[in-house]
Amino acid sequence: MAVTRYSEEFKRDAVGLVESSGRSVNSVAKELGINTESLRKWVLRARGSAGGGDGEAVRPAEREELKRLRKQVRELELEKEILRKAAQYFAKEMSR
């Protein structure tokens, strides 16, 4: 059995067909003449859940937003810590 290599463009188009048509992976794979499991893996990879997780897809835009929000949370936590220490310092100075 020969191994068939598909171009990235073909894979994207096949995944796009599954997602836009609402049809099952099986029916699209049969129509395109490709292995069902190959198409299933491409779809999972495109949805960002090929590595496991909770099964929910994370789109690239959502991934970027998560990255930005996590950075913002770190910055805000640092600012909060600085303000907490400043409040302690000034409270100590006021009691003298």
Side-chain angles (χ1 to χ4, degrees):
M1 179 181 268
V3 176
T4 306
R5 302 250 183 227
Y6 298 101
S7 69
E8 289 301 315
E9 181 182 13
F10 178 82
K11 292 176 183 179
R12 278 193 307 272
D13 291 345
V15 169
L17 186 58
V18 170
E19 292 180 344
S20 67
S21 69
R23 295 172 29 215
S24 71
V25 171
N26 288 338
S27 68
V28 173
K30 285 180 185 175
E31 179 183 325
L32 297 176
I34 60 176
N35 184 291
T36 302
E37 287 307 307
S38 295
L39 181 56
R40 187 178 320 280
K41 288 178 186 177
W42 301 342
V43 170
L44 288 174
R45 191 175 309 124
R47 291 180 180 166
S49 59
D54 58 3
E56 290 188 30
V58 179
R59 299 185 189 282
E62 292 171 331
R63 186 172 290 120
E64 286 301 314
E65 183 179 13
L66 280 172
K67 185 178 176 181
R68 182 185 60 78
L69 290 173
R70 286 180 177 137
K71 180 180 178 185
Q72 185 178 7
V73 166
R74 282 192 307 272
E75 290 172 358
L76 291 172
E77 287 173 344
L78 180 61
E79 289 174 9
K80 184 177 89 172
E81 182 64 21
I82 291 169
L83 290 172
R84 186 184 65 76
K85 288 180 180 180
Q88 287 176 344
Y89 172 78
F90 287 117
K92 197 182 293 183
E93 288 294 315
M94 296 288 283
S95 65
R96 286 186 184 187

